[in-house]
Amino acid sequence: MLDATDTDGLTVGHVSTHLGVTVRALHHWDDIGLARPSLRTTAGYRLYTAGDLELLQRIVVYREVGLGLDGIRAVLDGSGTDVAAALRGQRTQVAERIDRLQELSVGLDRMIDAHERGLLLTVEQQVAIFGPQWDPDWPAQARQRYGDTEQWQQFAERSASRSPEQWQAIADTLADFDRALGDAMDSGVTPGSPEASQLVERHREVFTSSYFPLTRQMQVCLGRMFEADPEFAAHYDGIRAGLATWFRQSIDASARAHSIDPDTATWQ
């Protein structure tokens, strides 16, 4: 046990170790007049007495329950302060912080799930939102393929905060865009024309708002995949025969108009 008498004071280092507070904190409390040592050595070093230790222990207790130094001073000085009322107020603040931390914990859980799963939707919700052609394994496959990329992280961050209703709105927007592609092809719109270029820009906007920021170079890479990947090609060609190639050609033509060579474009 640490002991101090009114004649034999304890150094700042001893008190710091005993109470579990830093020497800097003890110096600060002395400087602001909250807890000044009763003794000093001839060299001016602080020495704390038994009475000083009792006061410091009270400060530590009140600090641990979250009272600020001004609140602690008011309690210690009396100053008409109702200690129980002050502690009740502190308890209210602690309860509010606990509620906030619980909310943060839920948010962290969703963020972790989004990074690991991509979509925070049940299989039934995915099929209902994205249609019967949707494969619930696609998010897991995408995570396995792209999980270490910045774009997957951006997608996961967005996905963590989205509700099924928000995903439905995104699915509706994408469906509207697909219909616009098919209508343009039926109308004889040619790749490289102003109408086709507008659709390419619309695709970038829709994709960026739905998933992650899409650069023109990235869009070129997606256009290649839309045409070459059997599942993507089947999707677009299911809208209109040859639409996958038409869309890729439109993306390439738009890229060239922006001084990008689609033959050498990379994912950047």
Side-chain angles (χ1 to χ4, degrees):
M1 295 292 291
L2 191 63
D3 185 33
T5 68
D6 289 336
T7 56
D8 297 319
L10 294 168
T11 66
V12 171
H14 282 95
V15 173
S16 170
T17 300
H18 176 64
L19 296 180
V21 299
T22 65
V23 170
R24 182 178 180 180
L26 292 171
H27 286 177
H28 179 59
W29 296 349
D30 179 10
D31 292 339
I32 65 175
L34 181 64
R36 286 177 171 159
S38 299
L39 302 174
R40 289 195 180 255
T41 67
T42 55
Y45 294 112
R46 298 169 175 84
L47 292 175
Y48 292 86
T49 66
D52 297 334
L53 282 178
E54 291 178 4
L55 176 62
L56 288 169
Q57 287 168 338
R58 293 183 66 194
I59 292 173
V60 170
V61 168
Y62 285 122
R63 190 179 70 159
E64 287 180 347
V65 298
L67 284 180
L69 295 182
D70 289 340
I72 294 173
R73 186 194 301 276
V75 169
L76 297 180
D77 291 348
S79 305
T81 300
D82 184 337
V83 176
L87 293 176
R88 288 192 187 96
Q90 184 61 28
R91 182 179 61 187
T92 299
Q93 293 181 32
V94 169
E96 291 172 351
R97 287 201 297 270
I98 289 173
D99 289 342
R100 176 56 180 155
L101 288 172
Q102 289 175 335
E103 292 176 1
L104 289 174
S105 178
V106 171
L108 284 170
D109 287 341
R110 286 185 61 83
M111 187 69 75
I112 292 168
D113 285 347
H115 276 274
E116 293 180 343
R117 294 167 46 200
L119 292 175
L120 302 187
L121 299 170
T122 65
V123 170
E124 292 76 15
Q125 288 173 325
Q126 291 179 48
V127 173
I129 291 171
F130 301 113
Q133 78 285 352
W134 177 263
D135 185 346
D137 289 335
W138 284 342
Q141 294 170 6
R143 196 233 182 231
Q144 184 176 13
R145 186 172 182 180
Y146 305 111
D148 59 349
T149 66
E150 179 183 359
Q151 286 72 39
W152 178 266
Q153 295 170 12
Q154 293 169 328
F155 166 66
E157 289 163 4
R158 296 183 180 186
S159 177
S161 62
R162 282 179 177 159
S163 66
E165 293 74 20
Q166 289 172 316
W167 277 116
Q168 183 64 65
I170 289 172
D172 293 343
T173 298
L174 293 171
D176 287 343
F177 176 74
D178 285 348
R179 282 191 290 270
L181 286 180
D183 291 344
M185 188 175 176
D186 285 345
S187 299
V189 173
T190 58
S193 66
E195 294 86 351
S197 295
Q198 288 177 359
L199 283 171
V200 171
E201 288 303 304
R202 180 177 168 186
H203 173 255
R204 286 183 61 239
E205 293 170 0
V206 169
F207 193 99
T208 294
S209 63
S210 301
Y211 302 114
F212 53 80
L214 186 69
T215 66
R216 297 186 192 282
Q217 291 91 334
M218 291 178 181
Q219 189 180 33
V220 170
C221 295
L222 285 183
R224 295 178 197 148
M225 184 173 65
F226 293 159
E227 183 181 39
D229 183 274
E231 290 180 338
F232 280 106
H235 167 75
Y236 286 106
D237 290 343
I239 298 171
R240 297 291 190 281
L243 185 60
T245 296
W246 181 92
F247 191 21
R248 192 269 303 163
Q249 291 173 344
S250 296
I251 292 173
D252 286 357
S254 178
R256 291 189 188 94
H258 289 87
S259 302
I260 297 170
D261 182 356
D263 294 330
T264 60
T266 57
W267 188 262
Q268 61 181 3

